[in-house]
Amino acid sequence: MSMAVTDLLVMISTVILNRIVGIYFPLSFLFITPICSLCMALNFAIMDSSVWITVAFTFDRFMAICCQKLKIKYCTAKTAVRVIGIVSTVSCLKNAFLYFIYKPLYIINNIPWFCSIKLIFYTSPAWAAYDWIRSISTSCLPFILILLLNALTVKHILVASRVRRRLRAHSTGEMQSDPEMEKRRNSIVLLFCISGSFILLYLVILINFLYVRIAKLNYFSGSNFNKSNFILDQSGYMLQLLSSCVNPFIYAGTQRKFREELKNGVKYPLSLVVKLFK
């Protein structure tokens, strides 16, 4: 539920309020500099939460599958609520500093409009260190953790499946359906769909991060939007947002309860309309 909520918030804040409103309603109150700065910091905080809740989900599945003793103690609803609360709080605190890096692009009738990054953000060692930490914790570290956890989970499942298959074949003398393995298989399908889409869609972001840091590039230098580095940056950003769009379809495709709730949500307003016309 938390993953679905954060993905929905990414769509509302980053896609609708930032991108769509920015294109079709560029002079709305959302682009007054203080509000614009707050929205930008909030966008990064929500995307950060979405990324780390995905990592937390991957770790939770790793614990549930590979660490049976710890599963009973830590894989609970209470622990999940605590982890979600901590991830959300840390993401907001970490990205709150971004509010202070923007300045007005124009001042019209004493009202500051739009957000332009201050020059000190590029020249100050403190801001440079902050940007490194924020970028690594949002792109590189989650990518590595999900890859590592998935690799360990796959290894454990393959070994456990071989052992379980041999034991069942030895005890029964024939191969029969195994409910436990079916349950594990369904869990693995969900895990790898979400983690796999994350890895694929965040790969461009990771490549772009390494490319920019090594080459020390500035995307908006000269406002040349045809430059390959700018195109790479925007492509990675688009795929990052697409990741939040894909996850709800994964939930719907792999979770029976999610599909049932979705059907109930669609049927409910239709049933109200039918009652009105009766």
Side-chain angles (χ1 to χ4, degrees):
M1 189 188 298
S2 176
M3 293 175 70
V5 168
T6 52
D7 289 336
L8 180 61
L9 287 175
V10 169
M11 293 299 100
I12 293 172
S13 66
T14 308
V15 177
I16 297 175
L17 295 181
N18 186 24
R19 292 287 172 156
I20 295 178
V21 172
I23 293 171
Y24 296 102
F25 306 98
L27 294 178
S28 70
F29 73 96
L30 292 173
F31 293 94
I32 297 174
T33 302
I35 300 176
C36 174
S37 301
L38 180 63
C39 288
M40 294 298 289
L42 189 62
N43 289 343
F44 283 108
I46 292 171
M47 284 193 288
D48 210 357
S49 296
S50 178
V51 169
W52 279 100
I53 287 176
T54 303
V55 175
F57 167 77
T58 307
F59 183 75
D60 178 78
R61 292 301 85 197
F62 167 76
M63 292 278 288
I65 294 169
C66 303
C67 309
Q68 294 297 316
K69 292 182 179 179
L70 296 176
K71 170 187 173 181
I72 300 172
K73 184 177 181 180
Y74 294 107
C75 295
T76 62
K78 187 180 290 186
T79 303
V81 170
R82 289 174 181 172
V83 170
I84 292 165
I86 292 170
V87 168
S88 301
T89 302
V90 171
S91 296
C92 291
L93 292 175
K94 187 182 76 173
N95 291 280
F97 296 99
L98 293 174
Y99 178 85
F100 303 101
I101 71 171
Y102 296 104
K103 65 179 181 179
L105 188 61
Y106 305 107
I107 296 180
I108 303 173
N109 296 328
N110 293 324
I111 299 176
W113 286 92
F114 303 107
C115 291
S116 176
I117 298 177
K118 297 176 182 177
L119 184 61
I120 194 173
F121 182 74
Y122 298 106
T123 57
S124 169
W127 278 116
Y130 169 76
D131 190 42
W132 265 98
I133 294 170
R134 190 187 63 82
S135 300
I136 290 172
S137 64
T138 306
S139 55
C140 294
L141 189 57
F143 192 90
I144 294 170
L145 286 175
I146 287 178
L147 271 179
L148 178 61
L149 290 170
N150 280 343
L152 293 173
T153 304
V154 169
K155 181 180 178 182
H156 177 85
I157 288 172
L158 291 175
V159 173
S161 298
R162 291 195 198 102
V163 173
R164 191 175 180 86
R165 196 179 297 116
R166 288 173 186 170
L167 289 173
R168 286 180 64 84
H170 179 74
S171 61
T172 61
E174 57 180 4
M175 296 300 293
Q176 297 178 352
S177 61
D178 188 347
E180 180 63 26
M181 292 308 298
E182 287 294 329
K183 192 183 296 184
R184 286 189 185 183
R185 192 175 295 110
N186 292 334
S187 181
I188 288 302
V189 168
L190 177 61
L191 170 65
F192 281 95
C193 284
I194 293 176
S195 301
S197 68
F198 177 89
I199 290 169
L200 289 175
L201 295 174
Y202 272 74
L203 183 61
V204 177
I205 286 282
L206 179 61
I207 294 171
N208 181 66
F209 168 77
L210 296 174
Y211 174 59
V212 169
R213 299 301 169 177
I214 293 171
K216 296 182 180 179
L217 298 174
N218 182 5
Y219 303 117
F220 304 102
S221 178
S223 299
N224 187 352
F225 300 117
N226 293 319
K227 283 187 175 182
S228 59
N229 53 327
F230 176 79
I231 295 171
L232 181 65
D233 171 60
Q234 293 302 300
S235 298
Y237 191 63
M238 179 189 68
L239 292 174
Q240 184 182 35
L241 296 178
L242 182 61
S243 176
S244 297
C245 295
V246 168
N247 282 345
F249 291 99
I250 294 174
Y251 306 145
T254 57
Q255 295 293 292
R256 178 179 56 82
K257 290 184 179 179
F258 189 93
R259 293 196 299 269
E260 290 175 357
E261 291 297 327
L262 187 62
K263 289 178 183 177
N264 292 335
V266 173
K267 289 178 181 178
Y268 182 72
L270 294 176
S271 63
L272 291 178
V273 172
V274 171
K275 288 180 181 178
L276 288 173
F277 286 98
K278 280 186 178 181

